[in-house]
Amino acid sequence: MGDLIEQLRAGLPGEAVITDPDVTTSYGHDMAGFCPSGAPAVVVLPRTVEQVQHIMRTATALQVPVVPQGARTGLSGAANASDGCIVLSLTRMDRILEIDPVNRIAVVEPGVVNAVLSRAVGELGLCYPPDPSSWEQCTIGGNIGTGSGGLCCVKYGVTAEYVLGLEVVLADGRLLKTGRRTAKGVAGYDLTRLFVGSEGSLGIVVRAVLALKPAPPEQLALVAEFPSAAAACEAVCAIMAGGHAPSLLELMDGTTVRAVNKMARMGLPESTEALLLAAFDSHDPAADLAALGKVCTAAGATQVVPAEDTAESELLLQARRLALPALELVSTATMIDDVCVPRSALGAMLEGVAAIAAKFDLTIGVCAHAGDGNTHPVVCFDVGDPDESRRARESFDEIMALGLALGGTITGEHGVGVLKKEWLARELGPVGVELQRGVKQVFDPLGLLNPGKLF
Ligand SMILES: Cc1cc2nc3c(=O)[nH]c(=O)nc-3n(C[C@H](O)[C@H](O)[C@H](O)COP(=O)(O)OP(=O)(O)OC[C@H]3O[C@@H](n4cnc5c(N)ncnc54)[C@H](O)[C@@H]3O)c2cc1C
């Protein structure tokens, strides 16, 4: 331990090495509940690539595990510390190094907060689309680590589609450059994509080249109220099959709506069974919303209310962004699932989740990036009640089994971390696991990077 701190200090400024247990403990875990975490030996907060290289060389020399962290808003325990590890927080590497409107790219350090980047590129008439609901806190490094999605993915796609190139410090301290700054490029294996969603298990991202889009017009939203989740899911399928291209298509079930009202007095319809929020950022959003509203009505919507202006639209989005925090207040604890199914199976997924809630006698609220088929069933339970806690865990697992049975995936955007590692093998199968372990071995032969995650 003494050796480790001494050697880290040899290449880092004093304030970048924290050993006070009161502080290091606070870096122990991300925002996922019920994931084991350990006590880090030290937290390091580098500001430069060279400092990250020094940390990794030290870790390799002394064979100490390293857990990279962004803002720790993750929901799968992927950033949780292990006992005696080095927590490598990238939050101080937070500079936007370049915004290039001609090539439509931004070059950033990993600790840049998503919303900060969005606002900076917005000032130049550009847009960085991936927008997790946690965008005011989460970092680009964390977004790359988890391959995060967000509210606008139904039209613009997920983080993976915007990462063109990376600089990565490998386990032994070498610097790897992947990808490109060009609009096209197919030289060699796509290592850039490999790092997206790798949960800090292959290397430390220290720079990212991100693709930008021209900023679209401001979006206008509507809310449609449904008498059942099934009718809302039918509307989603009809919208997508009908060739509509909403910039947002989100679902909140009745439990979620009531939780949001309770938390923030949003004035959403209390008695609804499901709300769809849809938006367009097109040149005639009012006309597009009117067409989409007709589809909702045909699917059984009892009310379709378009927002009057962008301020009202933003309020609707705000209600959706509050869904997870609001459901967290329903009981003393929650487990947040992230199962993504083909859109055509969304109705079956929601019906199945309702059956699971009834079977285990639990409240399970569902919000969903409905246009992506990505559901977030949130299991609410009393952590002080051992039997309810057991039922919560079992229902959480049944939800994943249901998702796989419907042709889906155990995680659409939150990642595997420690929360779902027992399930990854079921999804990948033995050949998939063997090859993925092989890839890990190539990048991290000593198994020092974020051990205990994924597999
Ligand atoms: C209220 C709320 C709403 C959310 N909404 C969404 C949503 O809509 N969509 C969504 O996808 N997620 C959502 N999340 C989850 C979370 O915000 C995302 O997973 C986010 O990408 C995590 O970013 P972070 O900076 O907090 O990373 P962390 O949680 O700190 O880390 C996440 C992973 O990335 C790795 N990592 C971090 N930085 C680096 C780096 N520089 N190099 C290598 N590995 C690194 C970590 O080791 C870890 O495995 C939400 C979370 C909350 C609390």
Side-chain angles (χ1 to χ4, degrees), residues 39-55:
V42 57
V43 173
V44 286
L45 295 135
R47 288 187 191 273
T48 67
V49 174
E50 293 71 26
Q51 289 173 1
V52 176
Q53 289 183 284
H54 169 73
I55 293 161

Side-chain angles (χ1 to χ4, degrees), residues 29 41 103 153 245 385 387:
H29 56 84
N103 293 303
C153 298
D385 179 336
D387 185 61

Side-chain angles (χ1 to χ4, degrees), residues 174-194:
R174 284 176 299 161
L175 186 65
L176 167 73
K177 294 188 184 186
T178 73
R180 56 194 164 92
R181 312 172 40 109
T182 49
K184 294 155 89 180
V186 291
Y189 294 133
D190 190 349
L191 295 186
T192 307
R193 194 96 181 201
L194 180 61

Side-chain angles (χ1 to χ4, degrees), residues 335-357:
M335 292 186 82
I336 302 166
D337 225 320
D338 172 39
V339 169
C340 189
V341 294
R343 287 177 202 116
S344 50
L346 196 58
M349 184 68 201
L350 264 70
E351 194 187 321
V353 170
I356 291 169

